[in-house]
Amino acid sequence: MHVGLALLLATAVAVAFTPVAAAKSKAPAFHRDETPLPSSLSHPSTAATHAATSASGTVARTLAGLAIVLAVLFGVYWLLRMYARGKGPKGDGRLEIVATAALAPNRAVHLLRVGDGLVLVGSAEGSVTRLRAYSTAESERLEETLDARPDTFVATPSNGIVDALRKRTARR
């Protein structure tokens, strides 16, 4: 069986290389190439000027592309700053969020300062409901309680959520 496999392999190799040997024997003799060279190669001074012009053009295109990319980045940065400036808190300062507690997705309880008093409201997806209105005396006591507990999570527009998280997570 090994002899038959070897004979089959030898026959396949002989058949594969027979056209190559025949083609090599029929190959034309070597002929010198008489194709004329381009003028940039036959006149070296012209080629050096062309290369310098090409290099300066490449540098100019690269710098122009860099300037365009930087201008686009600056424009996007400026637009984002203008958008963020417009989203800031608006109003006359008579209404302020004192505390917020999330109860469930799209549901929360908010303690609002309205003038000298406090109002507790609940918010859901489509409604806001007043839960309780505190008198001025009750408001003062409640604010003292909130101020006495610095570790409570209270996010107000003045200190922000980041500052409230920092107070809760900072090492003591």
Side-chain angles (χ1 to χ4, degrees), residues 103 108-110 120-124 127-131:
L103 303 176
V109 177
H110 306 279
L120 184 66
V121 296
S123 63
S127 66
V128 177
T129 305
R130 184 184 76 145
L131 301 175

Side-chain angles (χ1 to χ4, degrees), residues 74-159:
F74 180 75
V76 168
Y77 173 73
W78 182 79
L79 286 174
L80 288 174
R81 284 187 60 205
M82 291 298 119
Y83 178 73
R85 188 178 296 167
K87 292 197 59 112
K90 296 177 183 172
D92 55 5
R94 292 184 287 183
L95 180 67
E96 180 183 356
I97 299 173
V98 177
T100 299
L103 303 176
N106 298 327
R107 289 169 176 36
V109 177
H110 306 279
L111 184 62
L112 307 174
R113 178 179 293 121
V114 181
D116 291 335
L118 293 174
V119 179
L120 184 66
V121 296
S123 63
E125 286 183 32
S127 66
V128 177
T129 305
R130 184 184 76 145
L131 301 175
R132 180 168 180 197
Y134 294 96
S135 67
T136 306
E138 290 175 320
S139 299
E140 290 173 3
R141 273 189 282 132
L142 187 58
E143 286 189 36
E144 288 173 7
T145 304
L146 288 174
D147 292 337
R149 297 174 47 197
D151 60 334
T152 58
F153 182 72
V154 177
T156 63
S158 62
N159 66 2

Side-chain angles (χ1 to χ4, degrees), residues 10-103:
T11 306
V13 169
V15 169
F17 286 111
T18 302
V20 173
K24 282 187 180 178
S25 65
K26 295 179 185 176
F30 178 76
H31 292 270
R32 184 179 179 109
D33 187 16
E34 298 293 331
T35 306
L37 293 173
S39 63
S40 63
L41 294 176
S42 58
H43 299 92
S45 62
T46 308
T49 305
H50 178 67
T53 305
S54 176
S56 64
T58 302
V59 170
R61 281 193 305 270
T62 303
L63 290 177
L66 179 64
I68 290 171
V69 168
L70 290 176
V72 167
L73 286 175
F74 180 75
V76 168
Y77 173 73
W78 182 79
L79 286 174
L80 288 174
R81 284 187 60 205
M82 291 298 119
Y83 178 73
R85 188 178 296 167
K87 292 197 59 112
K90 296 177 183 172
D92 55 5
R94 292 184 287 183
L95 180 67
E96 180 183 356
I97 299 173
V98 177
T100 299
L103 303 176

